[in-house]
PDB file of all heavy atoms in Angstrom:
ATOM      1  N   SER A 232     -10.398  -1.877  11.333  1.00 96.00           N
ATOM      2  CA  SER A 232     -11.600  -2.705  11.329  1.00 96.00           C
ATOM      3  C   SER A 232     -11.335  -4.010  12.070  1.00 96.00           C
ATOM      4  O   SER A 232     -10.211  -4.278  12.496  1.00 96.00           O
ATOM      5  CB  SER A 232     -12.048  -2.985   9.890  1.00 96.00           C
ATOM      6  OG  SER A 232     -11.121  -3.840   9.232  1.00 96.00           O
ATOM      7  N   GLN A 233     -12.361  -4.802  12.215  1.00 97.00           N
ATOM      8  CA  GLN A 233     -12.246  -6.110  12.865  1.00 97.00           C
ATOM      9  C   GLN A 233     -12.107  -7.225  11.833  1.00 97.00           C
ATOM     10  O   GLN A 233     -12.202  -8.403  12.167  1.00 97.00           O
ATOM     11  CB  GLN A 233     -13.473  -6.363  13.753  1.00 97.00           C
ATOM     12  CG  GLN A 233     -13.570  -5.379  14.904  1.00 97.00           C
ATOM     13  CD  GLN A 233     -12.333  -5.392  15.780  1.00 97.00           C
ATOM     14  OE1 GLN A 233     -11.861  -6.439  16.214  1.00 97.00           O
ATOM     15  NE2 GLN A 233     -11.779  -4.211  16.042  1.00 97.00           N
ATOM     16  N   THR A 234     -11.897  -6.845  10.573  1.00 98.00           N
ATOM     17  CA  THR A 234     -11.757  -7.814   9.488  1.00 98.00           C
ATOM     18  C   THR A 234     -10.482  -7.528   8.709  1.00 98.00           C
ATOM     19  O   THR A 234      -9.830  -6.499   8.905  1.00 98.00           O
ATOM     20  CB  THR A 234     -12.961  -7.739   8.521  1.00 98.00           C
ATOM     21  OG1 THR A 234     -12.990  -6.428   7.926  1.00 98.00           O
ATOM     22  CG2 THR A 234     -14.276  -7.994   9.246  1.00 98.00           C
ATOM     23  N   LYS A 235     -10.144  -8.428   7.809  1.00 98.00           N
ATOM     24  CA  LYS A 235      -9.006  -8.207   6.919  1.00 98.00           C
ATOM     25  C   LYS A 235      -9.248  -6.941   6.098  1.00 98.00           C
ATOM     26  O   LYS A 235     -10.387  -6.622   5.753  1.00 98.00           O
ATOM     27  CB  LYS A 235      -8.844  -9.389   5.965  1.00 98.00           C
ATOM     28  CG  LYS A 235      -8.459 -10.675   6.644  1.00 98.00           C
ATOM     29  CD  LYS A 235      -8.389 -11.802   5.626  1.00 98.00           C
ATOM     30  CE  LYS A 235      -7.968 -13.105   6.297  1.00 98.00           C
ATOM     31  NZ  LYS A 235      -7.930 -14.204   5.321  1.00 98.00           N
ATOM     32  N   ALA A 236      -8.169  -6.252   5.766  1.00 98.00           N
ATOM     33  CA  ALA A 236      -8.257  -5.054   4.935  1.00 98.00           C
ATOM     34  C   ALA A 236      -7.218  -5.142   3.826  1.00 98.00           C
ATOM     35  O   ALA A 236      -6.094  -5.596   4.048  1.00 98.00           O
ATOM     36  CB  ALA A 236      -8.042  -3.798   5.770  1.00 98.00           C
ATOM     37  N   THR A 237      -7.626  -4.714   2.639  1.00 98.00           N
ATOM     38  CA  THR A 237      -6.748  -4.730   1.463  1.00 98.00           C
ATOM     39  C   THR A 237      -6.912  -3.416   0.714  1.00 98.00           C
ATOM     40  O   THR A 237      -8.029  -2.938   0.531  1.00 98.00           O
ATOM     41  CB  THR A 237      -7.110  -5.899   0.522  1.00 98.00           C
ATOM     42  OG1 THR A 237      -6.936  -7.134   1.225  1.00 98.00           O
ATOM     43  CG2 THR A 237      -6.253  -5.902  -0.729  1.00 98.00           C
ATOM     44  N   TYR A 238      -5.790  -2.850   0.296  1.00 98.00           N
ATOM     45  CA  TYR A 238      -5.845  -1.701  -0.602  1.00 98.00           C
ATOM     46  C   TYR A 238      -4.776  -1.844  -1.672  1.00 98.00           C
ATOM     47  O   TYR A 238      -3.763  -2.508  -1.477  1.00 98.00           O
ATOM     48  CB  TYR A 238      -5.729  -0.369   0.148  1.00 98.00           C
ATOM     49  CG  TYR A 238      -4.394  -0.038   0.747  1.00 98.00           C
ATOM     50  CD1 TYR A 238      -3.465   0.734   0.051  1.00 98.00           C
ATOM     51  CD2 TYR A 238      -4.064  -0.456   2.036  1.00 98.00           C
ATOM     52  CE1 TYR A 238      -2.243   1.063   0.615  1.00 98.00           C
ATOM     53  CE2 TYR A 238      -2.844  -0.118   2.602  1.00 98.00           C
ATOM     54  CZ  TYR A 238      -1.939   0.632   1.891  1.00 98.00           C
ATOM     55  OH  TYR A 238      -0.736   0.969   2.443  1.00 98.00           O
ATOM     56  N   VAL A 239      -5.057  -1.245  -2.824  1.00 98.00           N
ATOM     57  CA  VAL A 239      -4.134  -1.251  -3.960  1.00 98.00           C
ATOM     58  C   VAL A 239      -3.503   0.123  -4.038  1.00 98.00           C
ATOM     59  O   VAL A 239      -4.191   1.143  -3.930  1.00 98.00           O
ATOM     60  CB  VAL A 239      -4.879  -1.557  -5.272  1.00 98.00           C
ATOM     61  CG1 VAL A 239      -3.937  -1.444  -6.465  1.00 98.00           C
ATOM     62  CG2 VAL A 239      -5.510  -2.930  -5.225  1.00 98.00           C
ATOM     63  N   SER A 240      -2.194   0.147  -4.223  1.00 97.00           N
ATOM     64  CA  SER A 240      -1.480   1.401  -4.393  1.00 97.00           C
ATOM     65  C   SER A 240      -0.880   1.444  -5.795  1.00 97.00           C
ATOM     66  O   SER A 240      -0.032   0.618  -6.138  1.00 97.00           O
ATOM     67  CB  SER A 240      -0.372   1.514  -3.339  1.00 97.00           C
ATOM     68  OG  SER A 240       0.279   2.760  -3.466  1.00 97.00           O
ATOM     69  N   VAL A 241      -1.352   2.388  -6.605  1.00 97.00           N
ATOM     70  CA  VAL A 241      -0.776   2.621  -7.930  1.00 97.00           C
ATOM     71  C   VAL A 241       0.258   3.723  -7.753  1.00 97.00           C
ATOM     72  O   VAL A 241      -0.036   4.790  -7.202  1.00 97.00           O
ATOM     73  CB  VAL A 241      -1.856   3.039  -8.951  1.00 97.00           C
ATOM     74  CG1 VAL A 241      -1.222   3.345 -10.304  1.00 97.00           C
ATOM     75  CG2 VAL A 241      -2.919   1.947  -9.083  1.00 97.00           C
ATOM     76  N   ASN A 242       1.465   3.443  -8.201  1.00 95.00           N
ATOM     77  CA  ASN A 242       2.600   4.332  -7.965  1.00 95.00           C
ATOM     78  C   ASN A 242       3.061   4.984  -9.256  1.00 95.00           C
ATOM     79  O   ASN A 242       3.202   4.307 -10.279  1.00 95.00           O
ATOM     80  CB  ASN A 242       3.747   3.542  -7.332  1.00 95.00           C
ATOM     81  CG  ASN A 242       3.277   2.760  -6.121  1.00 95.00           C
ATOM     82  OD1 ASN A 242       2.691   3.319  -5.204  1.00 95.00           O
ATOM     83  ND2 ASN A 242       3.495   1.459  -6.126  1.00 95.00           N
ATOM     84  N   SER A 243       3.318   6.274  -9.195  1.00 94.00           N
ATOM     85  CA  SER A 243       3.748   7.004 -10.380  1.00 94.00           C
ATOM     86  C   SER A 243       5.171   6.621 -10.768  1.00 94.00           C
ATOM     87  O   SER A 243       5.927   6.098  -9.947  1.00 94.00           O
ATOM     88  CB  SER A 243       3.678   8.507 -10.106  1.00 94.00           C
ATOM     89  OG  SER A 243       4.678   8.884  -9.182  1.00 94.00           O
ATOM     90  N   PRO A 244       5.533   6.908 -12.017  1.00 92.00           N
ATOM     91  CA  PRO A 244       6.926   6.698 -12.416  1.00 92.00           C
ATOM     92  C   PRO A 244       7.832   7.637 -11.628  1.00 92.00           C
ATOM     93  O   PRO A 244       7.388   8.651 -11.100  1.00 92.00           O
ATOM     94  CB  PRO A 244       6.945   7.080 -13.895  1.00 92.00           C
ATOM     95  CG  PRO A 244       5.533   7.189 -14.325  1.00 92.00           C
ATOM     96  CD  PRO A 244       4.709   7.407 -13.099  1.00 92.00           C
ATOM     97  N   GLY A 245       9.072   7.288 -11.554  1.00 88.00           N
ATOM     98  CA  GLY A 245      10.047   8.129 -10.866  1.00 88.00           C
ATOM     99  C   GLY A 245      10.944   7.285  -9.989  1.00 88.00           C
ATOM    100  O   GLY A 245      10.705   6.095  -9.802  1.00 88.00           O
ATOM    101  N   ALA A 246      11.942   7.924  -9.456  1.00 87.00           N
ATOM    102  CA  ALA A 246      12.898   7.234  -8.590  1.00 87.00           C
ATOM    103  C   ALA A 246      12.203   6.908  -7.271  1.00 87.00           C
ATOM    104  O   ALA A 246      11.829   7.802  -6.527  1.00 87.00           O
ATOM    105  CB  ALA A 246      14.115   8.116  -8.358  1.00 87.00           C
ATOM    106  N   TYR A 247      12.020   5.617  -7.006  1.00 87.00           N
ATOM    107  CA  TYR A 247      11.339   5.198  -5.782  1.00 87.00           C
ATOM    108  C   TYR A 247      12.314   5.275  -4.616  1.00 87.00           C
ATOM    109  O   TYR A 247      13.372   4.669  -4.627  1.00 87.00           O
ATOM    110  CB  TYR A 247      10.803   3.772  -5.916  1.00 87.00           C
ATOM    111  CG  TYR A 247      10.044   3.315  -4.689  1.00 87.00           C
ATOM    112  CD1 TYR A 247       8.706   3.639  -4.534  1.00 87.00           C
ATOM    113  CD2 TYR A 247      10.669   2.599  -3.683  1.00 87.00           C
ATOM    114  CE1 TYR A 247       7.995   3.243  -3.412  1.00 87.00           C
ATOM    115  CE2 TYR A 247       9.974   2.200  -2.555  1.00 87.00           C
ATOM    116  CZ  TYR A 247       8.641   2.524  -2.427  1.00 87.00           C
ATOM    117  OH  TYR A 247       7.952   2.135  -1.309  1.00 87.00           O
ATOM    118  N   GLN A 248      11.939   6.052  -3.642  1.00 93.00           N
ATOM    119  CA  GLN A 248      12.720   6.163  -2.417  1.00 93.00           C
ATOM    120  C   GLN A 248      11.729   6.240  -1.270  1.00 93.00           C
ATOM    121  O   GLN A 248      10.768   7.015  -1.317  1.00 93.00           O
ATOM    122  CB  GLN A 248      13.598   7.407  -2.443  1.00 93.00           C
ATOM    123  CG  GLN A 248      14.495   7.527  -1.239  1.00 93.00           C
ATOM    124  CD  GLN A 248      15.350   8.789  -1.300  1.00 93.00           C
ATOM    125  OE1 GLN A 248      15.110   9.690  -2.085  1.00 93.00           O
ATOM    126  NE2 GLN A 248      16.341   8.851  -0.444  1.00 93.00           N
ATOM    127  N   LYS A 249      11.952   5.434  -0.229  1.00 93.00           N
ATOM    128  CA  LYS A 249      11.063   5.395   0.933  1.00 93.00           C
ATOM    129  C   LYS A 249      11.874   5.785   2.164  1.00 93.00           C
ATOM    130  O   LYS A 249      12.840   5.112   2.510  1.00 93.00           O
ATOM    131  CB  LYS A 249      10.477   3.994   1.102  1.00 93.00           C
ATOM    132  CG  LYS A 249       9.592   3.843   2.299  1.00 93.00           C
ATOM    133  CD  LYS A 249       9.028   2.432   2.341  1.00 93.00           C
ATOM    134  CE  LYS A 249       8.197   2.214   3.561  1.00 93.00           C
ATOM    135  NZ  LYS A 249       7.622   0.876   3.583  1.00 93.00           N
ATOM    136  N   ILE A 250      11.451   6.873   2.792  1.00 95.00           N
ATOM    137  CA  ILE A 250      12.143   7.370   3.976  1.00 95.00           C
ATOM    138  C   ILE A 250      11.205   7.228   5.170  1.00 95.00           C
ATOM    139  O   ILE A 250      10.111   7.806   5.178  1.00 95.00           O
ATOM    140  CB  ILE A 250      12.551   8.844   3.785  1.00 95.00           C
ATOM    141  CG1 ILE A 250      13.474   8.976   2.569  1.00 95.00           C
ATOM    142  CG2 ILE A 250      13.215   9.380   5.052  1.00 95.00           C
ATOM    143  CD1 ILE A 250      13.701  10.388   2.114  1.00 95.00           C
ATOM    144  N   LEU A 251      11.627   6.452   6.182  1.00 94.00           N
ATOM    145  CA  LEU A 251      10.819   6.295   7.384  1.00 94.00           C
ATOM    146  C   LEU A 251      10.888   7.570   8.221  1.00 94.00           C
ATOM    147  O   LEU A 251      11.955   8.168   8.359  1.00 94.00           O
ATOM    148  CB  LEU A 251      11.310   5.108   8.215  1.00 94.00           C
ATOM    149  CG  LEU A 251      11.263   3.730   7.552  1.00 94.00           C
ATOM    150  CD1 LEU A 251      11.709   2.664   8.545  1.00 94.00           C
ATOM    151  CD2 LEU A 251       9.894   3.416   7.004  1.00 94.00           C
ATOM    152  N   VAL A 252       9.731   7.982   8.733  1.00 94.00           N
ATOM    153  CA  VAL A 252       9.646   9.147   9.610  1.00 94.00           C
ATOM    154  C   VAL A 252       8.782   8.774  10.813  1.00 94.00           C
ATOM    155  O   VAL A 252       8.068   7.760  10.782  1.00 94.00           O
ATOM    156  CB  VAL A 252       9.087  10.396   8.879  1.00 94.00           C
ATOM    157  CG1 VAL A 252      10.036  10.848   7.784  1.00 94.00           C
ATOM    158  CG2 VAL A 252       7.717  10.114   8.289  1.00 94.00           C
ATOM    159  N   GLU A 253       8.830   9.579  11.864  1.00 92.00           N
ATOM    160  CA  GLU A 253       8.039   9.312  13.063  1.00 92.00           C
ATOM    161  C   GLU A 253       6.561   9.571  12.778  1.00 92.00           C
ATOM    162  O   GLU A 253       6.197  10.603  12.214  1.00 92.00           O
ATOM    163  CB  GLU A 253       8.500  10.185  14.221  1.00 92.00           C
ATOM    164  CG  GLU A 253       9.853   9.794  14.775  1.00 92.00           C
ATOM    165  CD  GLU A 253       9.886   8.400  15.387  1.00 92.00           C
ATOM    166  OE1 GLU A 253       8.889   8.001  16.032  1.00 92.00           O
ATOM    167  OE2 GLU A 253      10.902   7.716  15.204  1.00 92.00           O
ATOM    168  N   ARG A 254       5.711   8.623  13.202  1.00 91.00           N
ATOM    169  CA  ARG A 254       4.261   8.778  13.068  1.00 91.00           C
ATOM    170  C   ARG A 254       3.794   9.814  14.086  1.00 91.00           C
ATOM    171  O   ARG A 254       4.150   9.727  15.257  1.00 91.00           O
ATOM    172  CB  ARG A 254       3.563   7.448  13.305  1.00 91.00           C
ATOM    173  CG  ARG A 254       2.079   7.463  13.045  1.00 91.00           C
ATOM    174  CD  ARG A 254       1.446   6.102  13.316  1.00 91.00           C
ATOM    175  NE  ARG A 254       1.976   5.048  12.447  1.00 91.00           N
ATOM    176  CZ  ARG A 254       1.420   4.684  11.298  1.00 91.00           C
ATOM    177  NH1 ARG A 254       0.331   5.276  10.868  1.00 91.00           N
ATOM    178  NH2 ARG A 254       1.951   3.709  10.589  1.00 91.00           N
TER     179      ARG A 254
END
Side-chain angles (χ1 to χ4, degrees):
S232 69
Q233 296 303 310
T234 62
K235 294 177 179 179
T237 299
Y238 70 94
V239 175
S240 183
V241 177
N242 309 306
S243 70
Y247 182 84
Q248 184 180 14
K249 178 178 177 178
I250 301 168
L251 299 183
V252 295
E253 289 297 322
R254 186 181 298 266

